[in-house]
Amino acid sequence: MKFLAATASAALLALLKPHPVLGATVPVTLDIINAVGAPDGFSRSMVTANGTYPGPLITANKGDTLVVTVNNKLTDDTMRMSTSLDFDGIFVETANSFDEGSSFVTACPIAPNASYTYTIPLVNDQTGTFWYHSQLSVQYVDGLRGSLVVYDPEDPLADLYDVDDENTIWAVGDWWHNTSTSMLVTYVASGIVPVSDTGTFNGVGRFNGGPEVPFYVQNVVAGTRYRFRIINQSARNVFTMSVDSHNLTVIETDGTPTTPMTVNEIEMLAGQRYSVVLEANQPVDNYWINAPYTGGSPANNLNQNATLARAILRYQGAPDADPSAPMSLGPAEPGLNALVEANLRPLVAQAAPEPDINITLNLVVTAGRAQWNVNNVSYLPPSVPTLLKILDGANSASDFNVTENTFVLPANKTVQVIFPPSDDDEAHPFHLHGNNFWLVKSNTTDVINTANPIRRDVAGVGAEGTIVRFSTNNPGPWFFHCHIFWHFQAGLATVMASGLEETREQVHPSQAWDALCPAYDALPANLQ
């Protein structure tokens, strides 16, 4: 978006420095500030990183260490004044779990006028497409979200594309004209999840009756192959991505290199990421990039028009104009060659280990209320973070509040989580922090695949049932929750706490971390 353009440009220049040496330290500074912006032409106060929506792109190379300093400079008390930062999809080792960023699970939030530095070593040769956002309540609805890419200088799929840089990232998201705090009050009163005003593409969008904000333009050169990294940074909306007259070849799923699969449209739940290769092999012209979305009944927000969520693919030499084709929702025969999650395969096949422990999670909403339950428990964040309780000696489930919905697990085991089929018509994108999982049964199939399932960290659970397996060889308290953040705020969350003794042996927090909770707890409610 165009507001605070000078700040945004400076931030990008600082963050997009090359990292030629593996194992480098990548310093990043994010000032969390209130800024007035208008992503879709409607002006409002926002919560931003360095004044932009989305926030500045963070880049690193495989094996680097991110050192992210967050300065909380928020001043608008109509929204949350404290903050936090979570790095979605990034592996976090046990010893570093105190810097994982989950409010009230691994840390307390950062108070106003305070700073905190997250040190995140990129481990296990992890590469791929990720993002960051506030993990405090539904604060990222107000704008605090941005993209994070870890490049692989030895990418085994590099021969499939020619261009992969800061200009080939597509961040889609839902946007709201009201503040998250005011909408949360309405949600609690009505039990109706707020419906977004707009869908944005790289920070710009349009709504019914609003100004014709220029669409984002993706420039391409004929004959060139581009790796586009698509990130759904929504708090609720499901986006379906396609490009008129072009195919998309999936090569990455939530950071997992993927056996190439060519499709013409991709459905993405909140928090999911895909890398796709698009070959600019069509006549020089302008083409629509379609990003229609769903997320509640449009009758609950008359601003919403999913057809307006889009961008333009512009070939070099094409006129500076909108495509002549009509705005559609995607391919003429939707679903004919759409991505089916169950068909995804990792580039390097790996069997899912047999489970040592089985957990069944039943998700039920309380009718007419803003309350979701997992096994009859609605999650409430504790006043003392889960990790701090573990460090202070917690050893069993009875040492945590029932409303923390904490599953105490042994280290070095394989845990299978079964989400039974349900009559819920909205797929819940369940996300595991700090780790990923084997998706042995996708919500898109009846088939159980243990031979070579895709590994990812966000998967839909709902009508058809879903089964995932994860390892506890990385002990710690890891959030496992719905990435529809309104549902998360309403209790659709658990904590998978593994290896409590191993956690105590390995975790040695910094003094700065120790100071977070006393500072936050001392705040009056309007500053929290």
Side-chain angles (χ1 to χ4, degrees), residues 430-443:
F430 254 70
H431 169 55
L432 180 62
H433 282 229
N435 307 265
N436 63 14
F437 47 72
W438 292 272
L439 181 59
V440 301
K441 184 193 175 300
S442 167
N443 193 45

Side-chain angles (χ1 to χ4, degrees), residues 404-428:
E404 291 179 67
N405 221 354
T406 298
F407 292 78
V408 175
L409 305 166
N412 302 311
K413 300 294 183 181
T414 298
V415 178
Q416 177 166 273
V417 181
I418 300 168
F419 295 90
S422 75
D423 57 5
D424 191 353
D425 61 357
E426 185 167 22
H428 298 279

Side-chain angles (χ1 to χ4, degrees), residues 278-314:
L278 179 147
E279 184 175 357
N281 58 6
Q282 296 299 304
V284 170
D285 205 344
N286 291 292
Y287 299 86
W288 288 120
I289 305 171
N290 308 297
Y293 58 91
T294 59
S297 171
N300 290 327
N301 189 336
L302 298 183
N303 284 336
Q304 186 177 109
N305 184 343
T307 309
L308 297 177
R310 61 187 52 252
I312 298 171
L313 188 79
R314 176 167 295 153

